[in-house]
Amino acid sequence: AEAQAEAQAEAQADLTEVEKTILSSCASSPKAGEELIASAGYSVRTGNFKTALTKLLIRGLIEMTVPDKPRSPKQHYRITRLGLEVLKKAKKEK
């Protein structure tokens, strides 16, 4: 299982700077969308930000804390185990 997780993490290590920033933000604790927007250096939810967030969700690197209500005002995003692996790898590559 370790080797499989590593292979998966390697396949997903090609992250943009915005995606890395979002992942890093979620690593310490679940964050609200607004917090992630700010951490990524935006003042509003831009197309670039939405694309990055969607990509991370689809790849299973982050998840919603209220998955059945994506637009909930209480919605936060947290990093997954796979997300942590990918983030560790991305930091090693620097």
Side-chain angles (χ1 to χ4, degrees), residues 25-42:
S25 268
C26 293
S28 52
S29 65
K31 298 282 191 291
E34 287 71 37
E35 293 175 288
L36 293 179
I37 291 167
S39 74
Y42 297 113

Side-chain angles (χ1 to χ4, degrees), residues 66-79:
V66 193
D68 49 337
K69 293 188 182 142
R71 297 190 174 277
S72 166
K74 293 185 175 82
Q75 187 64 264
H76 281 63
Y77 299 91
R78 66 178 159 235
I79 197 164

Side-chain angles (χ1 to χ4, degrees), residues 11-31:
Q12 299 190 340
D14 57 328
L15 298 174
T16 65
E17 284 308 309
V18 174
E19 291 163 357
K20 282 182 198 164
T21 304
I22 293 171
L23 264 187
S24 295
S25 268
C26 293
S28 52
S29 65
K31 298 282 191 291

Side-chain angles (χ1 to χ4, degrees), residues 20-94:
K20 282 182 198 164
T21 304
I22 293 171
L23 264 187
S24 295
S25 268
C26 293
S28 52
S29 65
K31 298 282 191 291
E34 287 71 37
E35 293 175 288
L36 293 179
I37 291 167
S39 74
Y42 297 113
S43 54
V44 293
R45 195 178 278 256
T46 64
N48 200 11
F49 175 81
K50 282 186 217 165
T51 303
L53 192 67
T54 303
K55 202 163 129 192
L56 292 170
L57 285 165
I58 290 169
R59 290 169 124 183
L61 304 183
I62 60 171
E63 61 189 8
M64 294 181 191
T65 54
V66 193
D68 49 337
K69 293 188 182 142
R71 297 190 174 277
S72 166
K74 293 185 175 82
Q75 187 64 264
H76 281 63
Y77 299 91
R78 66 178 159 235
I79 197 164
T80 62
R81 186 175 292 150
L82 180 61
L84 284 170
E85 291 295 315
V86 171
L87 190 59
K88 262 190 243 164
K89 270 213 169 1
K91 283 184 176 168
K92 276 185 201 165
E93 286 167 11
K94 277 190 173 176

